[in-house]
Amino acid sequence: MLRIGGRVSLRIRVRAVAVVAVLALVALATAVVLIGTGDFPMSFTDVLTVLFGSGHPADELIVRELRLPRVLVGLLVGAALGLAGALFQAVSRNPLGSPDILGLGQGATAGALTMIVLFSGSAAAVTAGALVGGLVTGTAIYLLAWKRGVHGYRLVLVGIGVSAVMTAVNSYLITKADMVDAARAVVWMTGSLSGRDWAQVWPLLALCLVLVPLVLANERGLRMTEMGDDAAYALGVRVERVRLVLLGCAVLLASAATAAAGPVAFVALTAPQLARRLTRTPGPNLVPSMTMGAALLIVADLLSQRAFGSDQLPVGVVTGALGGLYLLWLLVSERKAGRV
């Protein structure tokens, strides 16, 4: 417990702080290695020299214009998905409450496919379509799950139903596309960081700078709701207002991340649970989930470029494989513990 001026006290959990620091260090170190990866390889030291503004002009062009934007998009998308997953799981009180399961990724995909298949839209139009699709889907889930408030069990069930509907819509849109648009749509649906530039960095960064402080400002209310609605009301928490604000932030974060990189699978689902296991701290673990998401996605992107020789995979393939293995391990461990 840290006291400031005798009036303000902060509870500092040393293990959680250490986990966040280690995850942030892993994410940043992997980002530097990833920047040095490519047809023109660069050493760790050379990349740092360029980033601190004293490199060769040719190296600066490669780093600042070609590779750094992709890495920043990966870090921001991972952090946004990790935070969105932590919020959904905390509000729903269910480890399956994530954008992957609730249908937000499928909704954003439907918006993007609409722009690709029906309008042959540009990259900017596809991004806008994904963002709108995610927001519309999130609003529909909230309204359908509302009954004198939004409760976790109903939210997850409605989300699974909406996810199934949107998956069918996406399959229909793919069947209506010509070969060129269908190939383009399949690549986008896999989830990829290829070709990302500063046009994807700035909107996502601006959104995170607005939403992350708003989420952290409502973290206390979120913690209080975990004790039950009645107890939270007794402590002065406006439960439904807190849920609405946090769910709105989670929908925006997940939709913006999907718009920037496509529906990257399993990061939002696994990052909060892995962060909780590492910190061994009750509660939503918002900051650890955010750093875990960034580390997971940037490490997966490095694996997608280096682990398969000359064949580079979309990052969504790697996160999907790793996430599927994690779910299998989780089911086995839960079964051994007698909880499944």
Side-chain angles (χ1 to χ4, degrees):
M1 181 76 73
L2 176 64
R3 296 188 179 276
I4 304 175
R7 293 186 177 183
V8 179
S9 63
L10 299 174
R11 182 181 295 276
I12 297 178
R13 301 182 184 274
V14 177
R15 184 184 178 91
V17 173
V19 168
V20 169
V22 170
L23 288 174
L25 183 61
V26 168
L28 294 176
T30 307
V32 174
V33 174
L34 189 57
I35 291 174
T37 298
D39 294 334
F40 181 76
M42 300 174 63
S43 68
F44 196 93
T45 304
D46 290 339
V47 173
L48 289 179
T49 301
V50 173
L51 291 177
F52 284 106
S54 57
H56 190 275
D59 293 343
E60 289 187 0
L61 175 65
I62 293 173
V63 170
R64 297 184 184 277
E65 298 301 324
L66 300 179
R67 296 180 182 174
L68 182 59
R70 171 184 176 138
V71 170
L72 290 177
V73 170
L75 291 171
L76 290 171
V77 167
L81 289 176
L83 183 56
L87 289 173
F88 275 115
Q89 291 178 18
V91 171
S92 65
R93 302 175 192 172
N94 192 316
L96 293 178
S98 78
D100 308 275
I101 305 298
L102 298 181
L104 290 176
Q106 290 81 355
T109 300
L113 289 181
T114 299
M115 300 306 298
I116 293 173
V117 174
L118 300 183
F119 301 102
S120 298
S122 63
V126 172
T127 299
L131 187 59
V132 172
L135 292 175
V136 171
T137 304
T139 302
I141 293 172
Y142 185 85
L143 294 177
L144 291 171
W146 175 271
K147 185 179 181 182
R148 295 189 297 275
V150 174
H151 299 283
Y153 183 72
R154 189 162 57 244
L155 183 69
V156 172
L157 286 180
V158 170
I160 291 174
V162 171
S163 176
V165 172
M166 299 313 299
T167 299
V169 171
N170 294 337
S171 299
Y172 172 75
L173 289 173
I174 288 292
T175 62
K176 299 296 290 184
D178 58 35
M179 292 298 294
V180 175
D181 287 339
R184 181 184 172 198
V186 169
V187 171
W188 190 91
M189 289 173 64
T190 305
S192 175
L193 296 175
S194 298
R196 298 306 182 263
D197 56 25
W198 291 106
Q200 283 83 37
V201 173
W202 296 122
L204 188 55
L205 177 61
L207 192 68
C208 288
L209 289 176
V210 172
L211 295 181
V212 171
L214 180 60
V215 168
L216 296 180
N218 285 274
E219 184 178 11
R220 178 183 176 275
L222 182 60
R223 288 180 179 273
M224 295 299 103
T225 61
E226 292 184 341
M227 299 187 299
D229 290 359
D230 293 337
Y233 277 121
L235 292 171
V237 177
R238 297 181 179 179
V239 175
E240 289 306 324
R241 178 181 177 183
V242 169
R243 284 196 181 122
L244 179 61
V245 170
L246 294 180
L247 283 176
C249 291
V251 169
L252 285 170
L253 287 167
S255 300
T258 304
V264 180
F266 283 112
V267 173
L269 180 66
T270 58
Q273 297 179 41
L274 291 175
R276 187 175 295 109
R277 289 174 180 271
L278 288 177
T279 61
R280 299 178 185 174
T281 302
N285 283 278
L286 299 181
V287 176
S289 298
M290 200 163 42
T291 52
M292 175 61 78
L296 280 178
L297 189 55
I298 207 70
V299 169
D301 193 31
L302 181 63
L303 289 175
S304 72
Q305 294 193 47
R306 286 197 170 187
F308 303 96
S310 59
D311 297 326
Q312 294 189 8
L313 298 179
V315 68
V317 174
V318 179
T319 59
L322 294 177
L325 292 174
Y326 170 77
L327 281 181
L328 289 174
W329 172 82
L330 182 62
L331 288 173
V332 171
S333 62
E334 291 290 306
R335 183 179 179 181
K336 288 182 177 179
R339 289 189 288 266
V340 176

